[in-house]
Amino acid sequence: MRHSKAQEGIAAWKAWVEKHHPAIVAMGGPLGKTKKVTEHGIEDVSNLMSAYTVVRADSHDAAAKLFERHPHFTIFPGDSVEVMPVLPIPNA
């Protein structure tokens, strides 16, 4: 059942990618375990991020709208997408 659901999710994601292809800058992909590096060393940490995709849009709101009704919301209830802008480096 789990494998079937994963296959369904991948197929739906591919269809979403095809629909929004013009806005996709980098496909990204699934993310693995997280390491946090500080002045005190390296440690294993956890976060909710499981994948990423880089898109180009006219605004932060427009980028978020690309993910409305994303197919994973129905296939994997409780999933969400966080949209973060890449900001220019100050004084660069």
Side-chain angles (χ1 to χ4, degrees), residues 18-92:
E18 188 173 311
K19 178 180 178 183
H20 297 288
H21 187 265
I24 296 173
V25 176
M27 286 297 294
L31 299 171
K33 296 185 185 269
T34 303
K35 299 257 184 216
K36 180 179 178 180
V37 182
T38 69
E39 62 198 35
H40 303 291
I42 301 170
E43 63 180 306
D44 293 329
V45 296
S46 62
N47 62 51
L48 297 177
M49 293 175 61
S50 60
Y52 79 99
T53 300
V54 179
V55 299
R56 178 175 288 120
D58 291 335
S59 68
H60 194 186
D61 287 336
K65 287 183 187 303
L66 291 172
F67 293 91
E68 285 185 322
R69 292 178 293 283
H70 192 280
H72 280 184
F73 302 152
T74 55
I75 297 167
F76 305 108
D79 266 6
S80 63
V81 173
E82 295 183 20
V83 179
M84 297 169 273
V86 176
L87 302 172
I89 297 171
N91 302 317

